[in-house]
Amino acid sequence: SWSGAFRRNWQLYSLAILPLLFFAVFRYAPMIGNVIAFRKFEPGGSVLGEEWVGLRYVNLFLNDPTFWNVFTNTAILGGLTLLFCFPLPIVLALLLNEVRNRGLKRFLQSVSYLPHFLSIVVVAGIVMQTLAIDGPVNQLVRAFGDDPVAFMQKPEWFRTIYISSEIWQTVGWGTILYLAALTTIDEQLYEAARIDGAGRWRQIWHVTLPGIRPTAVTLLILNIGTFMAVGFEKVLLLYNPLTYPTADVISTYLYRMGVESSNFSYAAAIGLFEAIIGLTLILSANLISRRAVGTSLW
């Protein structure tokens, strides 16, 4: 029984106390604060708001053109991040798996992992210095006889800059789970494929990709669940008022409305709306995955 297992292994179960406390205090307890999305909150007053206002703040942001522009930017950036940053780790893992020189493989892995360990602030600083008017990129532009471009002040460049930096920072680290999944594939399957006359591409298509499909589907579901939660820190560090038309996302809009403008109830309503969309996406992706490919989170 569970009680007997707990008595035998209580030392191991005790290790879960701190993680459970963390989630209880920092993940579940703050959910109570969502009530201010339906109540008028005033700084210095009641933590749960002063009076009930119903869907007033929901109607405000639903009828706010600025919010829908921010929502569109979030959807586009989230979609581009999913489009590029999800499949590229799979491709890189497959390429690394084909490297037979162990020393070269370790070197390539180390180089690809390194950007992950840089803080967001450092990454943003590197991006801004690289794309500055007198930075390396504009020096190359001048070398080819063109005028320098103010990349960080051009709204049309922001999405390219953000996605490129995201790829550089996350793709290498994302290969770890796929490389681990590749080690679990039975070598006899490759041997059987070679006997049947399959080349390297056929082996990858018929053996390798099906072998890592459960891992890929699980990560895809998790990524879809965070589709709307585009990286707040990087966007906040890279954007400026000139790039708001394409750079402003829900998380940064919430920061300005809630923290800078002290409109906490309005920000809470938008945050709750974003959370509902994320929950809907992850439930839908899990259901479709379970019915289509037989793999799901639950």
Side-chain angles (χ1 to χ4, degrees), residues 135-161:
V137 173
N138 274 314
Q139 289 180 11
L140 288 175
V141 172
R142 287 194 187 95
F144 284 98
D146 293 327
D147 295 327
V149 179
F151 292 102
M152 300 305 299
Q153 285 74 44
K154 299 283 187 180
E156 62 270 21
W157 278 102
F158 181 84
R159 290 168 183 163
T160 302
I161 293 170

mmCIF file of all heavy atoms in Angstrom, residues 135-161:
data_model
loop_
_atom_site.group_PDB
_atom_site.id
_atom_site.type_symbol
_atom_site.label_atom_id
_atom_site.label_comp_id
_atom_site.label_asym_id
_atom_site.label_seq_id
_atom_site.Cartn_x
_atom_site.Cartn_y
_atom_site.Cartn_z
ATOM 1 N N GLY A 135 28.558 49.190 -34.598
ATOM 2 C CA GLY A 135 28.845 47.794 -34.288
ATOM 3 C C GLY A 135 29.388 47.025 -35.480
ATOM 4 O O GLY A 135 29.476 47.546 -36.601
ATOM 5 N N PRO A 136 29.754 45.756 -35.269
ATOM 6 C CA PRO A 136 30.350 44.941 -36.336
ATOM 7 C C PRO A 136 29.465 44.804 -37.571
ATOM 8 O O PRO A 136 29.965 44.835 -38.699
ATOM 9 C CB PRO A 136 30.561 43.586 -35.656
ATOM 10 C CG PRO A 136 30.577 43.869 -34.196
ATOM 11 C CD PRO A 136 29.682 45.036 -33.992
ATOM 12 N N VAL A 137 28.152 44.632 -37.366
ATOM 13 C CA VAL A 137 27.263 44.437 -38.515
ATOM 14 C C VAL A 137 27.240 45.687 -39.391
ATOM 15 O O VAL A 137 27.359 45.598 -40.627
ATOM 16 C CB VAL A 137 25.836 44.080 -38.039
ATOM 17 C CG1 VAL A 137 24.876 44.044 -39.227
ATOM 18 C CG2 VAL A 137 25.833 42.743 -37.322
ATOM 19 N N ASN A 138 27.115 46.862 -38.785
ATOM 20 C CA ASN A 138 27.102 48.092 -39.575
ATOM 21 C C ASN A 138 28.469 48.418 -40.155
ATOM 22 O O ASN A 138 28.553 49.109 -41.182
ATOM 23 C CB ASN A 138 26.597 49.255 -38.727
ATOM 24 C CG ASN A 138 25.080 49.356 -38.752
ATOM 25 O OD1 ASN A 138 24.464 49.266 -39.812
ATOM 26 N ND2 ASN A 138 24.468 49.525 -37.593
ATOM 27 N N GLN A 139 29.534 47.948 -39.535
ATOM 28 C CA GLN A 139 30.848 48.110 -40.142
ATOM 29 C C GLN A 139 30.943 47.313 -41.439
ATOM 30 O O GLN A 139 31.542 47.768 -42.432
ATOM 31 C CB GLN A 139 31.931 47.684 -39.159
ATOM 32 C CG GLN A 139 32.113 48.639 -37.992
ATOM 33 C CD GLN A 139 33.198 48.195 -37.038
ATOM 34 O OE1 GLN A 139 33.954 47.281 -37.324
ATOM 35 N NE2 GLN A 139 33.271 48.861 -35.878
ATOM 36 N N LEU A 140 30.354 46.129 -41.467
ATOM 37 C CA LEU A 140 30.287 45.349 -42.702
ATOM 38 C C LEU A 140 29.406 46.045 -43.743
ATOM 39 O O LEU A 140 29.725 46.049 -44.941
ATOM 40 C CB LEU A 140 29.743 43.947 -42.413
ATOM 41 C CG LEU A 140 30.669 42.983 -41.681
ATOM 42 C CD1 LEU A 140 29.933 41.679 -41.365
ATOM 43 C CD2 LEU A 140 31.899 42.681 -42.519
ATOM 44 N N VAL A 141 28.296 46.627 -43.268
ATOM 45 C CA VAL A 141 27.419 47.364 -44.185
ATOM 46 C C VAL A 141 28.175 48.514 -44.831
ATOM 47 O O VAL A 141 28.077 48.748 -46.048
ATOM 48 C CB VAL A 141 26.176 47.880 -43.429
ATOM 49 C CG1 VAL A 141 25.355 48.809 -44.314
ATOM 50 C CG2 VAL A 141 25.316 46.704 -42.971
ATOM 51 N N ARG A 142 28.957 49.254 -44.016
ATOM 52 C CA ARG A 142 29.760 50.352 -44.559
ATOM 53 C C ARG A 142 30.800 49.829 -45.534
ATOM 54 O O ARG A 142 31.093 50.466 -46.555
ATOM 55 C CB ARG A 142 30.452 51.107 -43.423
ATOM 56 C CG ARG A 142 29.533 51.983 -42.586
ATOM 57 C CD ARG A 142 30.354 52.932 -41.725
ATOM 58 N NE ARG A 142 29.521 53.684 -40.792
ATOM 59 C CZ ARG A 142 29.287 53.337 -39.541
ATOM 60 N NH1 ARG A 142 29.821 52.215 -39.046
ATOM 61 N NH2 ARG A 142 28.521 54.075 -38.762
ATOM 62 N N ALA A 143 31.388 48.679 -45.209
ATOM 63 C CA ALA A 143 32.423 48.120 -46.085
ATOM 64 C C ALA A 143 31.888 47.820 -47.472
ATOM 65 O O ALA A 143 32.637 47.872 -48.461
ATOM 66 C CB ALA A 143 33.007 46.844 -45.453
ATOM 67 N N PHE A 144 30.599 47.505 -47.567
ATOM 68 C CA PHE A 144 29.986 47.234 -48.867
ATOM 69 C C PHE A 144 29.411 48.494 -49.509
ATOM 70 O O PHE A 144 28.712 48.418 -50.524
ATOM 71 C CB PHE A 144 28.885 46.181 -48.723
ATOM 72 C CG PHE A 144 29.402 44.787 -48.557
ATOM 73 C CD1 PHE A 144 29.506 44.217 -47.299
ATOM 74 C CD2 PHE A 144 29.821 44.049 -49.664
ATOM 75 C CE1 PHE A 144 30.001 42.927 -47.137
ATOM 76 C CE2 PHE A 144 30.298 42.767 -49.517
ATOM 77 C CZ PHE A 144 30.396 42.192 -48.256
ATOM 78 N N GLY A 145 29.682 49.660 -48.894
ATOM 79 C CA GLY A 145 29.290 50.927 -49.490
ATOM 80 C C GLY A 145 27.899 51.401 -49.165
ATOM 81 O O GLY A 145 27.426 52.387 -49.774
ATOM 82 N N ASP A 146 27.212 50.770 -48.223
ATOM 83 C CA ASP A 146 25.863 51.192 -47.861
ATOM 84 C C ASP A 146 25.889 52.016 -46.573
ATOM 85 O O ASP A 146 26.862 52.002 -45.819
ATOM 86 C CB ASP A 146 24.953 49.977 -47.670
ATOM 87 C CG ASP A 146 24.710 49.232 -48.973
ATOM 88 O OD1 ASP A 146 24.673 49.899 -50.026
ATOM 89 O OD2 ASP A 146 24.583 47.990 -48.943
ATOM 90 N N ASP A 147 24.809 52.710 -46.332
ATOM 91 C CA ASP A 147 24.684 53.496 -45.107
ATOM 92 C C ASP A 147 24.336 52.576 -43.939
ATOM 93 O O ASP A 147 23.621 51.578 -44.107
ATOM 94 C CB ASP A 147 23.593 54.558 -45.256
ATOM 95 C CG ASP A 147 23.949 55.601 -46.306
ATOM 96 O OD1 ASP A 147 25.162 55.887 -46.447
ATOM 97 O OD2 ASP A 147 23.030 56.107 -46.972
ATOM 98 N N PRO A 148 24.832 52.903 -42.736
ATOM 99 C CA PRO A 148 24.497 52.074 -41.560
ATOM 100 C C PRO A 148 23.009 52.104 -41.271
ATOM 101 O O PRO A 148 22.314 53.070 -41.565
ATOM 102 C CB PRO A 148 25.314 52.718 -40.424
ATOM 103 C CG PRO A 148 25.590 54.105 -40.885
ATOM 104 C CD PRO A 148 25.701 54.041 -42.372
ATOM 105 N N VAL A 149 22.534 51.001 -40.673
ATOM 106 C CA VAL A 149 21.112 50.842 -40.373
ATOM 107 C C VAL A 149 20.932 50.802 -38.857
ATOM 108 O O VAL A 149 21.648 50.071 -38.161
ATOM 109 C CB VAL A 149 20.557 49.549 -41.000
ATOM 110 C CG1 VAL A 149 19.075 49.390 -40.665
ATOM 111 C CG2 VAL A 149 20.774 49.548 -42.506
ATOM 112 N N ALA A 150 19.977 51.565 -38.367
ATOM 113 C CA ALA A 150 19.668 51.554 -36.925
ATOM 114 C C ALA A 150 18.734 50.378 -36.650
ATOM 115 O O ALA A 150 17.515 50.552 -36.484
ATOM 116 C CB ALA A 150 19.038 52.870 -36.504
ATOM 117 N N PHE A 151 19.299 49.176 -36.584
ATOM 118 C CA PHE A 151 18.497 47.961 -36.459
ATOM 119 C C PHE A 151 17.600 47.984 -35.225
ATOM 120 O O PHE A 151 16.436 47.584 -35.278
ATOM 121 C CB PHE A 151 19.404 46.733 -36.401
ATOM 122 C CG PHE A 151 20.129 46.447 -37.680
ATOM 123 C CD1 PHE A 151 21.471 46.788 -37.822
ATOM 124 C CD2 PHE A 151 19.482 45.830 -38.731
ATOM 125 C CE1 PHE A 151 22.143 46.523 -39.005
ATOM 126 C CE2 PHE A 151 20.153 45.562 -39.915
ATOM 127 C CZ PHE A 151 21.487 45.913 -40.053
ATOM 128 N N MET A 152 18.146 48.444 -34.095
ATOM 129 C CA MET A 152 17.413 48.381 -32.834
ATOM 130 C C MET A 152 16.301 49.434 -32.748
ATOM 131 O O MET A 152 15.499 49.395 -31.830
ATOM 132 C CB MET A 152 18.368 48.560 -31.649
ATOM 133 C CG MET A 152 19.465 47.506 -31.573
ATOM 134 S SD MET A 152 18.836 45.815 -31.566
ATOM 135 C CE MET A 152 17.842 45.804 -30.091
ATOM 136 N N GLN A 153 16.257 50.371 -33.692
ATOM 137 C CA GLN A 153 15.203 51.380 -33.699
ATOM 138 C C GLN A 153 14.182 51.157 -34.816
ATOM 139 O O GLN A 153 13.242 51.937 -34.960
ATOM 140 C CB GLN A 153 15.803 52.785 -33.846
ATOM 141 C CG GLN A 153 16.455 53.321 -32.591
ATOM 142 C CD GLN A 153 17.796 52.680 -32.287
ATOM 143 O OE1 GLN A 153 18.613 52.514 -33.194
ATOM 144 N NE2 GLN A 153 18.031 52.310 -31.041
ATOM 145 N N LYS A 154 14.369 50.097 -35.597
ATOM 146 C CA LYS A 154 13.477 49.812 -36.712
ATOM 147 C C LYS A 154 12.474 48.732 -36.310
ATOM 148 O O LYS A 154 12.869 47.592 -36.039
ATOM 149 C CB LYS A 154 14.281 49.329 -37.923
ATOM 150 C CG LYS A 154 15.291 50.335 -38.459
ATOM 151 C CD LYS A 154 14.603 51.418 -39.265
ATOM 152 C CE LYS A 154 15.627 52.327 -39.946
ATOM 153 N NZ LYS A 154 14.974 53.376 -40.734
ATOM 154 N N PRO A 155 11.164 49.043 -36.267
ATOM 155 C CA PRO A 155 10.171 48.026 -35.872
ATOM 156 C C PRO A 155 10.206 46.791 -36.768
ATOM 157 O O PRO A 155 9.994 45.673 -36.298
ATOM 158 C CB PRO A 155 8.838 48.778 -36.001
ATOM 159 C CG PRO A 155 9.183 50.217 -35.923
ATOM 160 C CD PRO A 155 10.546 50.353 -36.519
ATOM 161 N N GLU A 156 10.479 46.978 -38.060
ATOM 162 C CA GLU A 156 10.462 45.846 -38.990
ATOM 163 C C GLU A 156 11.605 44.867 -38.761
ATOM 164 O O GLU A 156 11.559 43.736 -39.248
ATOM 165 C CB GLU A 156 10.497 46.346 -40.435
ATOM 166 C CG GLU A 156 11.739 47.140 -40.821
ATOM 167 C CD GLU A 156 11.600 48.628 -40.571
ATOM 168 O OE1 GLU A 156 10.733 49.019 -39.756
ATOM 169 O OE2 GLU A 156 12.361 49.406 -41.181
ATOM 170 N N TRP A 157 12.629 45.266 -38.013
ATOM 171 C CA TRP A 157 13.762 44.383 -37.750
ATOM 172 C C TRP A 157 13.636 43.622 -36.433
ATOM 173 O O TRP A 157 14.386 42.685 -36.189
ATOM 174 C CB TRP A 157 15.071 45.182 -37.743
ATOM 175 C CG TRP A 157 15.624 45.434 -39.107
ATOM 176 C CD1 TRP A 157 15.551 46.589 -39.828
ATOM 177 C CD2 TRP A 157 16.345 44.514 -39.923
ATOM 178 N NE1 TRP A 157 16.171 46.443 -41.039
ATOM 179 C CE2 TRP A 157 16.675 45.179 -41.118
ATOM 180 C CE3 TRP A 157 16.755 43.192 -39.752
ATOM 181 C CZ2 TRP A 157 17.382 44.566 -42.145
ATOM 182 C CZ3 TRP A 157 17.462 42.567 -40.775
ATOM 183 C CH2 TRP A 157 17.768 43.248 -41.949
ATOM 184 N N PHE A 158 12.724 44.049 -35.560
ATOM 185 C CA PHE A 158 12.726 43.488 -34.202
ATOM 186 C C PHE A 158 12.473 41.986 -34.198
ATOM 187 O O PHE A 158 13.157 41.235 -33.489
ATOM 188 C CB PHE A 158 11.694 44.184 -33.319
ATOM 189 C CG PHE A 158 11.692 43.656 -31.905
ATOM 190 C CD1 PHE A 158 12.599 44.149 -30.979
ATOM 191 C CD2 PHE A 158 10.828 42.649 -31.503
ATOM 192 C CE1 PHE A 158 12.639 43.652 -29.683
ATOM 193 C CE2 PHE A 158 10.851 42.149 -30.217
ATOM 194 C CZ PHE A 158 11.759 42.653 -29.307
ATOM 195 N N ARG A 159 11.491 41.509 -34.938
ATOM 196 C CA ARG A 159 11.162 40.083 -34.904
ATOM 197 C C ARG A 159 12.324 39.227 -35.408
ATOM 198 O O ARG A 159 12.618 38.168 -34.839
ATOM 199 C CB ARG A 159 9.907 39.825 -35.739
ATOM 200 C CG ARG A 159 8.643 40.397 -35.091
ATOM 201 C CD ARG A 159 7.466 40.396 -36.038
ATOM 202 N NE ARG A 159 6.296 41.018 -35.411
ATOM 203 C CZ ARG A 159 5.234 41.445 -36.082
ATOM 204 N NH1 ARG A 159 5.184 41.324 -37.405
ATOM 205 N NH2 ARG A 159 4.219 41.990 -35.437
ATOM 206 N N THR A 160 12.996 39.688 -36.451
ATOM 207 C CA THR A 160 14.165 38.955 -36.949
ATOM 208 C C THR A 160 15.262 38.901 -35.897
ATOM 209 O O THR A 160 15.885 37.853 -35.679
ATOM 210 C CB THR A 160 14.700 39.631 -38.227
ATOM 211 O OG1 THR A 160 13.671 39.671 -39.203
ATOM 212 C CG2 THR A 160 15.901 38.860 -38.772
ATOM 213 N N ILE A 161 15.492 40.031 -35.235
ATOM 214 C CA ILE A 161 16.528 40.089 -34.199
ATOM 215 C C ILE A 161 16.174 39.170 -33.039
ATOM 216 O O ILE A 161 17.010 38.407 -32.546
ATOM 217 C CB ILE A 161 16.702 41.543 -33.712
ATOM 218 C CG1 ILE A 161 17.277 42.415 -34.830
ATOM 219 C CG2 ILE A 161 17.616 41.593 -32.479
ATOM 220 C CD1 ILE A 161 17.244 43.900 -34.518
#
